Amino acid sequence: MAPRLGLFLIWAGVPVFLQLHPVNGDEPPPAVYNVLGMLTTTWSYTTADQVEKPHEDDSPPCAFPFTYKRRIYYKCTSVNSEREWCSLDEDYVGRWKICSDGDRPKCHFPFIYRDKRYFRCTTEGSAFGLAWCSLTEYFEREYAWQYCDRY
């Protein structure tokens, strides 16, 4: 019955977002939900003597790169969340925040791309001719990059 209901709602033009959480004891994800136009609700979680909750806008900057569940993130991620978030610590310990426009990682200068050292953003290798930079010293090692500001 549920698949029929979901198909009906999609056919009727109502967006439906369903996010399942692990039930195997893993820590709950940081998440902010906005379902069917309802007010956004921020959830807090308690995990093993620690409360997991987002920080206010005046919180410290994102800690790039950060490690979450044994994976390194060089910029904000939407893993386990509908919105992009970042850790406030290099090793995620439950302190996080929803990313805003100002939460961009810093370019790593100089960086090496195709055996050439770059000291500023480059358009070399850019499919759209937009300037970009590496977020690590050796681009070909992690392939972590971002577009640069246009000004």
Side-chain angles (χ1 to χ4, degrees), residues 44-47 49-53 93-95:
S44 297
Y45 301 99
T46 302
T47 57
D49 300 330
Q50 142 183 353
V51 175
E52 205 176 307
K53 54 185 176 176
V93 293
R95 292 178 355 111

Side-chain angles (χ1 to χ4, degrees), residues 54-60 97:
H55 291 261
E56 305 302 324
D57 289 338
D58 60 347
S59 65
K97 71 177 185 176

Side-chain angles (χ1 to χ4, degrees), residues 27 50 52 55 61-74 85-97:
E27 62 187 58
Q50 142 183 353
E52 205 176 307
H55 291 261
C62 297
F64 295 120
F66 65 90
T67 303
Y68 175 66
K69 291 190 176 182
R70 294 187 217 121
R71 183 165 180 224
I72 298 173
Y73 294 89
Y74 293 93
W85 63 276
C86 67
S87 174
L88 299 178
D89 303 291
E90 289 180 12
D91 290 318
Y92 176 78
V93 293
R95 292 178 355 111
W96 60 277
K97 71 177 185 176

Side-chain angles (χ1 to χ4, degrees), residues 14-36:
V14 178
V16 176
F17 298 100
L18 176 64
Q19 185 170 1
L20 301 176
H21 298 290
V23 293
N24 60 359
D26 286 346
E27 62 187 58
V32 173
Y33 299 94
N34 189 353
V35 179
L36 300 177

